[in-house]
Amino acid sequence: MEKQKPHSRKKKSLGIGGLAVIGGGSVAVVALIAALTYLQIGRQYKEVFFPNTIINGMDASKKSIDEVKTMVAAGIDGYQLTIKERGDNTEIIKGTDIGMEAVFDGSVEKLLQQQKPLEWAKHIRKFQNFDIGTLVKYNQDQFDAAVTKLSCFQEDKIKEPQDAAISQYESGKGYHIVSADEGNRPDPEKVKSLISAAVMDLKTEVSLDEGDAYKKPQITADDPDLVSQVQTLNRYTNVKVTYQFGDKKEVLNGDTISKWVGVGEDGKAFLSSSEVTAYVKGLASKYDTVSKAKTLNTSYGKTVKITGGSYGWKIDQKAEADELAGIIRSGESQERVPVYKQEAASFGENDYGNTYVEVNLTAQHLYFYKDGKLVLDTDFVSGNESKGWSTPAGVYSLTYKQKDATLKGEDYRTPVAYWMPFNGNIGFHDATWRKQFGGSIFKTSGSHGCVNLPPAMAKTLFENIPSKVPVLCYNLPGTESKTTSNGTTKTETTATTPATTPSTTSAPATAAATTAAPTTAAPTTEAPATSAVTTPSTQETPVMNNPQQEAGPGVSKSTKKKTGPGVK
C-alpha cells in the first residue's frame, strides 16, 4: 500500500482576480455603511430643523419644535426694544409694557413637516430663512398707550418741519434758498407700524429716522419752482438803472427793487407795477419843473419869482413806468433818461436856459435873449385890464410860429402877418392898427390877452425866435412906465402914471437877466439905447377913439368879456 503524501500547509496565492473580489466587497460595505449613516443622520431631521435654518431672525439649526418654542418664549421674557430718535435721544419699550407673550399656532410644526430629511446635506453650507406667522402677540391697548407716552410725542419737545424757502434780500448779494428744516415731529401711524414690526421680529433696536417715521417738509431746496423763483427775483434785483437829470443822478438798484418784488399765490415771482409807478411819480415830483416857480434876474436888476405857466420838464409817468418795468424784468442794467411829455432848455431850478423872452407886464416891455445875447427889446400892449382880459403871468413855451394868420373872436376876424402863440390862444403878434405901445394903454384899451407888438418888432422876433423857446411873463411893481412908443420913439404920458411909484425907463442900464439854469450863462447885453428916447410933447391917443382901428383884437365895442384871439 502506497503511503499518502502529507498536505502542505502553505497558503496559495489568490491572484489578481481574487483581490478584485475582496476589494469590491470592501467598497460595497463602506458605501453601505455611509448610506446607512446618511440615512441615520437624515432621520433626525424629521424632528429637528436643518443646519443654518433661521426662523424669524432666530437660529433654529438642529432645534426641535419644542426647542424653538422655548427659544421664542425665552426671547420674550425680559424683552425690551430700544427706540432711536432724532437728536441722539433714545427710549425703551419693554415686553411687559405691552402685554407681550408667545403664540404657537402650528406654524413651526408646519415648517418642519415641509423639510425633506434626505436633503439635509444641501444645507450644511446653505442658509435658509423663514418668516412665518406671528410667534408673539401683544395687547393692542397697552401697546398704543406705551407708544403714545414716548417723549418724542410731547408737544413741547416737537419742532415742526419747515419748508425750504427764499431768504430775505441781502444788499449786494440778492436772494438765496434757505434749506428745509426737517424738525422732529413723528408720524404717529408710522411710528406704531415701525415699532410693531420690530416687536414681532423680536428686534432689540429700531431707528425712527431709518424707518422714515418723521413728517417731512413739503418743499426741499432743489424744488424746481423754488429755484425758478429765486432766479427770477435775483434777475430783477440785480438790475441797476442810473437816471440822468443834467448833472444829477438817481440810482435805482436792488435795495429798492427788492421792496417791489415777491412771489404770488400762483407760485410765480412778480414785480409790483404799482410800486414802479409810485417810484416814477416820485421822480416826477422831484425833477419835474413844469409846475414849479422860476427865479429870474430881470433886465431891471431885480429878481422875481414867477409862478404859474406850463413851461418845464414833465415826465410821461405812464410811459416811463412801463419802460422801467420792462428794464427790470429784462435784468439789463443801464443808464437812462426818462420819457418826457415835455422838455425844457436845461436842468435845474431855473430850466429856461439862456434863450428866452422876458415879458414885464408891469412895464409893458419885453426883451428877447438868444444864447445869452439881447436880440431885441420893445414896448407892447397886453390884455385889457379893465375888462378882465389881463395877460396872465407865468412861464410858457412858444408853441409854434405862423405867417399870415387870421385871429378870430366873437366879433372880429383880424389878419396878422406874424403869429406866435405861447399860452393857448394867447401869443405875440403884430398890431398894425396901433400907433402907440407901452405905458398904460393896456389898462383900458388893451388886447383880449395877446401881446401886441409893433410890426417891425414882431417881424424881428418872428425871424429870430424858434419854437419851444420859454416865455417868462411877470409883474414887477416899481417898473411902471410913463411913456409910450411907436416902436422907435417914446411919448410921455401923464394920465396913467402911478402915484406911488417912481417912473422908470423901459431900457435899463443894468445887465440882462441872469437865470439859475446850471448850463447857461447870464445874459450881459444891454438894451438898445434907441428904446430909451422920450418925446414928452406927444400925447397918447387911445385906440378906442379911432373907429378905423376898432377891428383889431385889442379893441372891443362891448363891455362884455370876450375870449382871446384865435378862438372861434
Side-chain angles (χ1 to χ4, degrees), residues 268-280:
K268 295 181 179 179
F270 68 83
L271 171 67
S272 172
S273 297
S274 62
E275 292 289 353
V276 175
T277 298
Y279 176 79
V280 173

Side-chain angles (χ1 to χ4, degrees), residues 13-134:
S13 174
L14 295 176
I16 298 299
L19 288 175
V21 172
I22 294 174
S26 297
V27 170
V29 171
V30 171
L32 179 60
I33 293 172
L36 292 175
T37 302
Y38 186 87
L39 291 173
Q40 182 64 29
I41 294 173
R43 189 176 295 113
Q44 67 175 316
Y45 289 111
K46 291 183 178 180
E47 304 296 332
V48 299
F49 290 98
F50 285 147
N52 300 317
T53 298
I54 307 298
I55 299 176
N56 284 20
M58 295 181 294
D59 186 5
S61 301
K62 296 185 178 182
K63 289 184 172 59
S64 66
I65 291 174
D66 290 338
E67 287 174 324
V68 170
K69 289 182 177 181
T70 300
M71 183 175 60
V72 171
I76 293 175
D77 293 338
Y79 173 79
Q80 62 181 28
L81 176 67
T82 299
I83 302 166
K84 298 177 68 176
E85 302 167 355
R86 282 182 182 167
D88 294 328
N89 188 44
T90 59
E91 300 188 68
I92 293 175
I93 289 181
K94 297 179 179 179
T96 54
D97 295 335
I98 59 175
M100 187 176 175
E101 59 180 330
V103 174
F104 304 108
D105 59 356
S107 297
V108 179
E109 288 85 349
K110 184 176 180 180
L111 189 60
L112 186 62
Q113 290 173 0
Q114 292 174 349
Q115 281 191 170
K116 296 180 179 180
L118 295 181
E119 295 180 357
W120 64 268
K122 295 180 181 180
H123 299 281
I124 293 175
R125 291 185 177 84
K126 180 181 178 181
F127 281 82
Q128 57 179 354
N129 288 275
F130 298 102
D131 288 317
I132 62 176
T134 303

Side-chain angles (χ1 to χ4, degrees), residues 72-395:
V72 171
I76 293 175
D77 293 338
Y79 173 79
Q80 62 181 28
L81 176 67
T82 299
I83 302 166
K84 298 177 68 176
E85 302 167 355
R86 282 182 182 167
D88 294 328
N89 188 44
T90 59
E91 300 188 68
I92 293 175
I93 289 181
K94 297 179 179 179
T96 54
D97 295 335
I98 59 175
M100 187 176 175
E101 59 180 330
V103 174
F104 304 108
D105 59 356
S107 297
V108 179
E109 288 85 349
K110 184 176 180 180
L111 189 60
L112 186 62
Q113 290 173 0
Q114 292 174 349
Q115 281 191 170
K116 296 180 179 180
L118 295 181
E119 295 180 357
W120 64 268
K122 295 180 181 180
H123 299 281
I124 293 175
R125 291 185 177 84
K126 180 181 178 181
F127 281 82
Q128 57 179 354
N129 288 275
F130 298 102
D131 288 317
I132 62 176
T134 303
L135 295 178
V136 295
K137 71 175 183 178
Y138 54 79
N139 182 283
Q140 189 65 49
D141 292 337
Q142 288 180 263
F143 177 86
D144 291 343
V147 172
T148 303
K149 289 179 182 179
L150 292 173
S151 64
C152 64
F153 286 108
Q154 295 178 14
E155 287 296 327
D156 61 341
K157 296 182 179 180
I158 291 177
K159 182 179 181 182
E160 296 292 341
Q162 299 292 323
D163 290 341
I166 300 171
S167 71
Q168 294 293 318
Y169 175 79
E170 189 174 352
S171 181
K173 296 183 179 180
Y175 298 91
H176 64 273
I177 295 176
V178 178
S179 298
D181 186 340
E182 294 186 338
N184 64 352
R185 176 170 287 280
D187 183 318
E189 294 305 315
K190 287 186 177 181
V191 171
K192 288 180 180 180
S193 176
L194 188 64
I195 293 176
S196 176
V199 168
M200 299 308 292
D201 289 342
L202 294 178
K203 291 181 179 179
T204 59
E205 185 178 276
V206 66
S207 170
L208 298 188
D209 245 334
E210 293 176 2
D212 195 26
Y214 287 100
K215 290 191 173 180
K216 299 178 180 179
Q218 296 182 351
I219 301 175
T220 58
D222 58 354
D223 180 83
D225 290 338
L226 189 62
V227 172
S228 175
Q229 291 163 6
V230 169
Q231 290 174 342
T232 302
L233 292 176
N234 280 331
R235 184 172 74 248
Y236 293 170
T237 54
N238 283 339
V239 170
K240 179 180 178 181
V241 180
T242 303
Y243 278 97
Q244 298 284 347
F245 296 95
D247 59 354
K248 294 183 178 180
K249 294 182 179 181
E250 287 286 333
V251 178
L252 173 66
N253 57 29
D255 291 350
T256 298
I257 298 173
S258 62
K259 301 173 185 176
W260 305 347
V261 300
V263 177
E265 293 181 358
D266 60 356
K268 295 181 179 179
F270 68 83
L271 171 67
S272 172
S273 297
S274 62
E275 292 289 353
V276 175
T277 298
Y279 176 79
V280 173
K281 183 178 180 180
L283 291 180
S285 177
K286 186 173 181 179
Y287 292 101
D288 277 3
T289 59
V290 69
S291 61
K292 295 179 180 178
K294 326 285 184 194
T295 300
L296 173 67
N297 294 326
T298 70
S299 298
Y300 298 84
K302 295 182 179 180
T303 300
V304 294
K305 182 165 283 190
I306 308 173
T307 58
S310 58
Y311 184 82
W313 295 100
K314 186 175 184 179
I315 294 175
D316 187 331
Q317 295 185 34
K318 183 180 184 307
E320 182 55 29
D322 290 343
E323 290 286 331
L324 179 57
I327 291 169
I328 294 172
R329 291 190 178 100
S330 74
E332 298 294 330
S333 298
Q334 59 181 261
E335 291 190 356
R336 178 167 182 77
V337 174
V339 180
Y340 286 104
K341 276 188 176 180
Q342 182 174 301
E343 298 183 13
S346 62
F347 289 96
E349 180 182 356
N350 298 320
D351 52 10
Y352 44 81
N354 61 358
T355 297
Y356 58 87
V357 183
E358 177 186 342
V359 181
N360 185 338
L361 297 170
T362 303
Q364 293 286 286
H365 198 86
L366 68 75
Y367 300 85
F368 172 45
Y369 294 98
K370 191 171 186 178
D371 297 326
K373 297 180 179 181
L374 183 64
V375 175
L376 79 87
D377 72 314
T378 180
D379 286 338
F380 61 78
V381 176
S382 62
N384 192 321
E385 185 178 86
S386 66
K387 295 190 179 296
W389 298 339
S390 296
T391 303
V395 182

